Amino acid sequence: MKKFIIIMLAIFTLASCAKNETSTIYENDFSGIQRKTAPSATTSETPTTVLQIKSEISTITIQEINTQDTITAETTEITTTTYPEIQETNTDTTAETVATTTETLPVETQPDPLGAGAFAYDEDGAVQFSAETESNDDQTLISAGQALFESACQTEWNFTVGCPYAINDGRVIKNDYDWVYYQITDEKIHTLNDVKNDYYNVFSDRYPHEDLNMLYTERDGNVYAMNGKREMNAYYSMSRITGIESRTNDEIFFTVEHQFEGTDQNPNAPYSENDTFSVVISPDGKWKAGKFRLPY
C-alpha cells in the first residue's frame, strides 16, 4: 500500500510538471502574438503609418487635380478674354485710320507738285495732259513745266554727256579730228535718225539740237556715239520754275531759277541765275521741251 501511494504521488508530480510546462509555452506564444497584434503596438504604429501614407497620396492627387484645374481655368480665361480684345483693337485701328484719312485730306493746303493728276509722264518722258491746257490754272502749268524741265535735263545729259544705248568698247572709229566713237549695239538703232527720233520724243524739233550730228555718226551701216564723259557741276544745287513769262497758242515760256552753292573762286558764296525755258504743246496736249539749256 505504501508502495502504491508513492507511485501515485510520482505520477501526480509528473502530470503537474507536464501541465506547467505546457502552460508556459502557450503563454509565451500568445505573449509573442499579443505583442504583434496588441492594440498598443499595432494601432499606434502600423495603422498610423498607413493612414499617413494614404493621406499624403490623397493630398498629392488633390493638388495635382487642383493645379490642372487651375491651369485649365486660367487658359480658358485668357483665351476667352484675348480674342475679343484683338478684334476690338483691329476694329478701333481701322476706324482710326479711316478717320485720320478723312480728316487729313481736306486740310492739305500745299498744291500737288504734279498738278493733282492733271498730267503725267508718258513712256518717253514727255508730259501728257489729260485735259485741255487752257482749262488748267497757272499753278498747274508751273507744276507741269517743272516736271518737263527735270525730264529734259535727264534726257539731255543721257544723249549729250554720255550715251543712252549699249555700246561696244572694243569697236571704235575716229573722225577727221581723231575723235573716238564707239559702236552702238542696240538693235533698235540703225541710223542717225533713229537716235534723233528718240531724242525728240522729249524735245520739240522746233528747236533742233545741232550737236547731235557731232556726237553721233554713221559708218558702214552702223551708228557710233562719242560717249563723252564729264562730271556734273559740283556747285549746282537745284532748278525751279518760278513763273510764267509769256504764252502763245502752242508754247508757254517759263522763268527757271538755277541755284548754285558757289564757284571755284568763291566756294562758299551761293548765288542764283535766271533762264528761260519753254514747252511746245502738240495738238493732242503733249508737252515737249522747247527753249532749253542744261544748267550743269
Side-chain angles (χ1 to χ4, degrees):
M1 184 67 179
K2 184 177 179 180
K3 190 176 181 178
F4 174 77
I5 292 172
I6 293 170
I7 293 171
M8 290 298 293
L9 288 172
I11 293 171
F12 177 78
T13 302
L14 291 172
S16 297
C17 290
K19 181 178 180 180
N20 290 336
E21 183 178 356
T22 303
S23 175
T24 301
I25 293 172
Y26 283 129
E27 185 178 356
N28 291 336
D29 291 341
F30 276 106
S31 175
I33 294 172
Q34 287 174 355
R35 280 194 292 271
K36 293 180 181 181
T37 59
S40 60
T42 58
T43 303
S44 60
E45 296 178 2
T46 305
T48 301
T49 303
V50 171
L51 287 175
Q52 289 176 352
I53 293 172
K54 288 183 178 180
S55 175
E56 292 175 358
I57 294 173
S58 300
T59 302
I60 293 170
T61 305
I62 292 171
Q63 289 177 351
E64 291 176 351
I65 294 172
N66 289 340
T67 303
Q68 294 174 356
D69 290 344
T70 302
I71 294 171
T72 304
E74 290 177 354
T75 303
T76 305
E77 182 179 356
I78 292 171
T79 303
T80 305
T81 304
T82 302
Y83 286 133
E85 289 180 355
I86 293 174
Q87 293 174 356
E88 292 174 1
T89 302
N90 291 339
T91 303
D92 294 340
T93 302
T94 304
E96 291 175 1
T97 302
V98 173
T100 302
T101 303
T102 304
E103 294 174 2
T104 302
L105 291 177
V107 299
E108 290 183 353
T109 56
Q110 295 298 322
D112 187 341
L114 292 181
F119 61 88
Y121 288 119
D122 67 5
E123 60 182 2
D124 299 310
V127 168
Q128 178 69 59
F129 271 83
S130 58
E132 292 296 332
T133 306
E134 289 78 5
S135 63
N136 297 303
D137 57 22
D138 286 356
Q139 181 58 53
T140 302
L141 299 178
I142 290 173
S143 297
Q146 181 72 38
L148 182 58
F149 180 82
E150 293 173 1
S151 178
C153 286
Q154 186 64 57
T155 302
E156 182 75 7
W157 179 272
N158 292 341
F159 276 84
T160 62
V161 177
C163 175
Y165 309 110
I167 59 174
N168 183 357
D169 291 334
R171 187 169 182 180
V172 301
I173 62 171
K174 296 182 178 181
N175 65 2
D176 296 339
Y177 302 98
D178 284 338
W179 295 351
V180 177
Y181 292 81
Y182 302 88
Q183 181 187 14
I184 294 176
T185 58
D186 193 309
E187 296 180 353
K188 299 182 298 181
I189 305 301
H190 304 285
T191 66
L192 181 57
N193 284 334
D194 293 333
V195 176
K196 292 181 177 180
N197 288 337
D198 285 348
Y199 179 84
Y200 289 119
N201 280 329
V202 176
F203 287 86
S204 171
D205 57 7
R206 182 177 296 180
Y207 296 85
H209 198 316
E210 299 299 336
D211 288 346
L212 293 178
N213 295 323
M214 177 184 66
L215 299 172
Y216 298 86
T217 188
E218 293 182 35
R219 184 180 296 183
D220 301 328
N222 296 300
V223 183
Y224 295 81
M226 184 177 291
N227 193 32
K229 300 290 185 180
R230 71 171 176 84
E231 295 182 356
M232 182 185 296
N233 185 337
Y235 298 103
Y236 173 78
S237 178
M238 62 170 294
S239 298
R240 65 187 184 95
I241 303 293
T242 58
I244 298 175
E245 294 180 359
S246 62
R247 69 182 72 186
T248 64
N249 291 334
D250 62 353
E251 191 168 5
I252 302 176
F253 295 85
F254 297 95
T255 299
V256 54
E257 179 185 74
H258 307 305
Q259 298 180 6
F260 301 86
E261 297 177 354
T263 62
D264 289 335
Q265 293 74 25
N266 297 294
N268 299 319
Y271 72 97
S272 64
E273 58 184 27
N274 291 334
D275 202 353
T276 298
F277 168 69
S278 74
V279 299
V280 178
I281 307 168
S282 61
D284 61 357
K286 181 180 292 188
W287 283 20
K288 293 185 177 182
K291 182 178 175 59
F292 171 83
R293 179 178 66 88
L294 185 65
Y296 48 80

